[in-house]
PDB file of all heavy atoms in Angstrom:
ATOM      1  N   ASN A  17     131.646 117.118 122.670  1.00  0.00           N
ATOM      2  CA  ASN A  17     131.011 116.070 123.466  1.00  0.00           C
ATOM      3  C   ASN A  17     130.533 114.890 122.628  1.00  0.00           C
ATOM      4  O   ASN A  17     129.728 114.101 123.093  1.00  0.00           O
ATOM      5  CB  ASN A  17     129.853 116.668 124.272  1.00  0.00           C
ATOM      6  CG  ASN A  17     130.369 117.436 125.467  1.00  0.00           C
ATOM      7  OD1 ASN A  17     130.778 116.850 126.459  1.00  0.00           O
ATOM      8  ND2 ASN A  17     130.397 118.757 125.362  1.00  0.00           N
ATOM      9  N   ASP A  94     130.689 124.694 132.631  1.00  0.00           N
ATOM     10  CA  ASP A  94     129.992 124.867 133.904  1.00  0.00           C
ATOM     11  C   ASP A  94     131.007 125.181 135.003  1.00  0.00           C
ATOM     12  O   ASP A  94     132.206 125.272 134.749  1.00  0.00           O
ATOM     13  CB  ASP A  94     129.119 123.643 134.230  1.00  0.00           C
ATOM     14  CG  ASP A  94     129.930 122.393 134.550  1.00  0.00           C
ATOM     15  OD1 ASP A  94     131.094 122.519 134.930  1.00  0.00           O
ATOM     16  OD2 ASP A  94     129.386 121.282 134.423  1.00  0.00           O
ATOM     17  N   GLU A  95     130.517 125.341 136.225  1.00  0.00           N
ATOM     18  CA  GLU A  95     131.398 125.805 137.316  1.00  0.00           C
ATOM     19  C   GLU A  95     132.517 124.801 137.611  1.00  0.00           C
ATOM     20  O   GLU A  95     133.641 125.214 137.889  1.00  0.00           O
ATOM     21  CB  GLU A  95     130.573 126.086 138.582  1.00  0.00           C
ATOM     22  CG  GLU A  95     129.819 124.873 139.105  1.00  0.00           C
ATOM     23  CD  GLU A  95     129.144 125.137 140.434  1.00  0.00           C
ATOM     24  OE1 GLU A  95     128.407 126.124 140.523  1.00  0.00           O
ATOM     25  OE2 GLU A  95     129.385 124.350 141.377  1.00  0.00           O
ATOM     26  N   GLU A 163     136.077 107.799 133.125  1.00  0.00           N
ATOM     27  CA  GLU A 163     134.661 107.978 133.406  1.00  0.00           C
ATOM     28  C   GLU A 163     134.122 106.652 133.931  1.00  0.00           C
ATOM     29  O   GLU A 163     134.156 105.642 133.231  1.00  0.00           O
ATOM     30  CB  GLU A 163     133.931 108.370 132.126  1.00  0.00           C
ATOM     31  CG  GLU A 163     132.653 109.107 132.402  1.00  0.00           C
ATOM     32  CD  GLU A 163     132.138 109.798 131.157  1.00  0.00           C
ATOM     33  OE1 GLU A 163     132.950 110.316 130.380  1.00  0.00           O
ATOM     34  OE2 GLU A 163     130.931 109.796 130.969  1.00  0.00           O
ATOM     35  N   ASP A 166     128.223 103.809 134.910  1.00  0.00           N
ATOM     36  CA  ASP A 166     127.114 104.216 135.754  1.00  0.00           C
ATOM     37  C   ASP A 166     125.969 103.234 135.588  1.00  0.00           C
ATOM     38  O   ASP A 166     126.090 102.223 134.925  1.00  0.00           O
ATOM     39  CB  ASP A 166     126.677 105.642 135.387  1.00  0.00           C
ATOM     40  CG  ASP A 166     125.991 106.320 136.560  1.00  0.00           C
ATOM     41  OD1 ASP A 166     125.824 105.682 137.608  1.00  0.00           O
ATOM     42  OD2 ASP A 166     125.614 107.484 136.414  1.00  0.00           O
ATOM     43  N   ASP A 170     121.350 105.226 132.917  1.00  0.00           N
ATOM     44  CA  ASP A 170     122.121 106.448 132.734  1.00  0.00           C
ATOM     45  C   ASP A 170     122.867 106.463 131.414  1.00  0.00           C
ATOM     46  O   ASP A 170     122.785 107.410 130.645  1.00  0.00           O
ATOM     47  CB  ASP A 170     123.139 106.560 133.867  1.00  0.00           C
ATOM     48  CG  ASP A 170     123.331 107.969 134.316  1.00  0.00           C
ATOM     49  OD1 ASP A 170     122.468 108.775 134.024  1.00  0.00           O
ATOM     50  OD2 ASP A 170     124.354 108.232 134.952  1.00  0.00           O
TER      51      ASP A 170
ATOM     52  N   ARG B   3     119.374 110.060 143.204  1.00  0.00           N
ATOM     53  CA  ARG B   3     119.206 110.063 141.739  1.00  0.00           C
ATOM     54  C   ARG B   3     118.883 108.653 141.229  1.00  0.00           C
ATOM     55  O   ARG B   3     117.993 108.485 140.382  1.00  0.00           O
ATOM     56  CB  ARG B   3     120.489 110.576 141.077  1.00  0.00           C
ATOM     57  CG  ARG B   3     120.380 110.727 139.565  1.00  0.00           C
ATOM     58  CD  ARG B   3     121.643 111.294 138.976  1.00  0.00           C
ATOM     59  NE  ARG B   3     122.789 110.415 139.100  1.00  0.00           N
ATOM     60  CZ  ARG B   3     123.001 109.339 138.329  1.00  0.00           C
ATOM     61  NH1 ARG B   3     122.138 109.025 137.387  1.00  0.00           N
ATOM     62  NH2 ARG B   3     124.066 108.584 138.515  1.00  0.00           N
ATOM     63  N   ARG B  10     122.008 110.912 134.730  1.00  0.00           N
ATOM     64  CA  ARG B  10     122.930 112.046 134.924  1.00  0.00           C
ATOM     65  C   ARG B  10     122.625 113.146 133.917  1.00  0.00           C
ATOM     66  O   ARG B  10     122.664 114.328 134.236  1.00  0.00           O
ATOM     67  CB  ARG B  10     124.369 111.583 134.697  1.00  0.00           C
ATOM     68  CG  ARG B  10     125.044 110.996 135.883  1.00  0.00           C
ATOM     69  CD  ARG B  10     126.474 110.678 135.504  1.00  0.00           C
ATOM     70  NE  ARG B  10     127.094 109.851 136.514  1.00  0.00           N
ATOM     71  CZ  ARG B  10     128.186 109.132 136.300  1.00  0.00           C
ATOM     72  NH1 ARG B  10     128.762 109.126 135.132  1.00  0.00           N
ATOM     73  NH2 ARG B  10     128.710 108.422 137.266  1.00  0.00           N
ATOM     74  N   HIS B  20     127.389 120.169 132.984  1.00  0.00           N
ATOM     75  CA  HIS B  20     127.786 119.027 132.162  1.00  0.00           C
ATOM     76  C   HIS B  20     127.466 117.746 132.935  1.00  0.00           C
ATOM     77  O   HIS B  20     127.577 117.723 134.155  1.00  0.00           O
ATOM     78  CB  HIS B  20     129.290 119.117 131.881  1.00  0.00           C
ATOM     79  CG  HIS B  20     129.761 118.210 130.794  1.00  0.00           C
ATOM     80  ND1 HIS B  20     130.106 116.902 131.035  1.00  0.00           N
ATOM     81  CD2 HIS B  20     129.922 118.405 129.469  1.00  0.00           C
ATOM     82  CE1 HIS B  20     130.471 116.335 129.896  1.00  0.00           C
ATOM     83  NE2 HIS B  20     130.376 117.224 128.928  1.00  0.00           N
ATOM     84  N   THR B  23     129.869 116.501 135.504  1.00  0.00           N
ATOM     85  CA  THR B  23     129.916 117.234 136.782  1.00  0.00           C
ATOM     86  C   THR B  23     129.039 116.543 137.830  1.00  0.00           C
ATOM     87  O   THR B  23     129.405 116.493 139.014  1.00  0.00           O
ATOM     88  CB  THR B  23     129.478 118.688 136.554  1.00  0.00           C
ATOM     89  OG1 THR B  23     130.388 119.285 135.626  1.00  0.00           O
ATOM     90  CG2 THR B  23     129.484 119.491 137.845  1.00  0.00           C
ATOM     91  N   TYR B  32     134.056 116.786 143.646  1.00  0.00           N
ATOM     92  CA  TYR B  32     133.808 118.213 143.442  1.00  0.00           C
ATOM     93  C   TYR B  32     132.698 118.659 144.385  1.00  0.00           C
ATOM     94  O   TYR B  32     131.650 118.002 144.463  1.00  0.00           O
ATOM     95  CB  TYR B  32     133.407 118.497 141.983  1.00  0.00           C
ATOM     96  CG  TYR B  32     133.049 119.949 141.757  1.00  0.00           C
ATOM     97  CD1 TYR B  32     134.026 120.932 141.809  1.00  0.00           C
ATOM     98  CD2 TYR B  32     131.738 120.334 141.538  1.00  0.00           C
ATOM     99  CE1 TYR B  32     133.699 122.264 141.658  1.00  0.00           C
ATOM    100  CE2 TYR B  32     131.403 121.669 141.372  1.00  0.00           C
ATOM    101  CZ  TYR B  32     132.386 122.624 141.431  1.00  0.00           C
ATOM    102  OH  TYR B  32     132.063 123.947 141.285  1.00  0.00           O
ATOM    103  N   SER B  35     128.837 124.639 144.142  1.00  0.00           N
ATOM    104  CA  SER B  35     128.551 125.933 144.756  1.00  0.00           C
ATOM    105  C   SER B  35     127.183 125.850 145.435  1.00  0.00           C
ATOM    106  O   SER B  35     126.386 124.938 145.151  1.00  0.00           O
ATOM    107  CB  SER B  35     128.528 127.010 143.677  1.00  0.00           C
ATOM    108  OG  SER B  35     127.438 126.784 142.797  1.00  0.00           O
TER     109      SER B  35
END
Side-chain angles (χ1 to χ4, degrees):
Chain A
N17 283 284
D94 69 22
E95 60 174 53
E163 204 165 322
D166 205 358
D170 217 19
Chain B
R3 185 177 66 77
R10 274 184 192 161
H20 194 274
T23 299
Y32 176 69
S35 66

